[in-house]
């Protein structure tokens, strides 16, 4: 199975930036869809961004224009660049992978353990 390990989380001030990284144990050319989910305290896990094997991206309305998902198949890495961070972005961020669909949590085949992002006000 695929192992995903996130890194890059931490504490950042409102308006700041942070880049999350996800390292995959499997060659990413084998994995079609990658995604970032997040779960804030007391909230359901929500989809943040997706990227297909071909590089097509999609974003939640709440992060559109601020976050950018990218992948580097040669390095088996997926990234999430987060800019103009808001307190409501505070959450544990999870890397996710699926050969097929990945738009809902039940469709995700592989999960990372998460990395905490805290945006201070």
């Amino acid at each position: 199975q695929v192992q995903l390990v996130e890194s890059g989380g931490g504490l950042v001030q409102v308006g700041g930036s942070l880049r999350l990284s996800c390292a995959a144990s499997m060659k990413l050319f084998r994995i079609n869809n990658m995604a970032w989910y997040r779960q804030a305290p007391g909230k359901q896990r929500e989809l943040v961004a997706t990227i297909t094997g071909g590089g097509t991206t999609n974003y939640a309305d709440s992060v559109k224009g601020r976050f950018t998902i990218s992948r580097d198949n040669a390095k088996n890495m997926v990234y999430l660049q987060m800019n103009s961070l808001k307190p409501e972005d505070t959450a544990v961020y999870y890397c996710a992978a699926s050969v097929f669909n990945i738009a809902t949590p039940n469709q995700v085949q592989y999960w990372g353990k998460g990395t905490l992002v805290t945006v201070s006000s």
Side-chain angles (χ1 to χ4, degrees):
Q1 64 177 337
V2 175
Q3 183 177 53
L4 304 173
V5 180
E6 304 96 335
S7 63
L11 177 65
V12 64
Q13 293 186 348
V14 171
S17 298
L18 207 60
R19 189 176 81 157
L20 305 183
S21 298
C22 173
S25 62
M26 179 179 284
K27 300 292 185 181
L28 288 187
F29 70 81
R30 295 185 178 185
I31 304 297
N32 187 20
N33 297 318
M34 302 293 296
W36 287 95
Y37 278 78
R38 69 184 182 187
Q39 189 163 22
K43 301 291 196 301
Q44 293 182 312
R45 189 167 297 189
E46 65 173 347
L47 181 64
V48 176
T50 63
I51 185 166
T52 68
T56 300
T57 60
N58 193 59
Y59 300 90
D61 288 341
S62 60
V63 307
K64 195 171 299 181
R66 300 188 298 120
F67 290 11
T68 302
I69 187 173
S70 61
R71 63 192 293 167
D72 186 337
N73 289 349
K75 296 181 178 180
N76 300 326
M77 297 288 289
V78 180
Y79 306 96
L80 184 68
Q81 178 66 46
M82 305 183 294
N83 298 325
S84 301
L85 284 162
K86 305 174 181 179
E88 49 264 46
D89 294 319
T90 295
V92 175
Y93 284 72
Y94 298 91
C95 184
S98 289
V99 174
F100 298 105
N101 296 327
I102 201 166
T104 62
N106 66 300
Q107 293 176 317
V108 174
Q109 293 178 294
Y110 307 102
W111 291 100
K113 293 182 178 180
T115 185
L116 177 63
V117 172
T118 302
V119 184
S120 65
S121 59

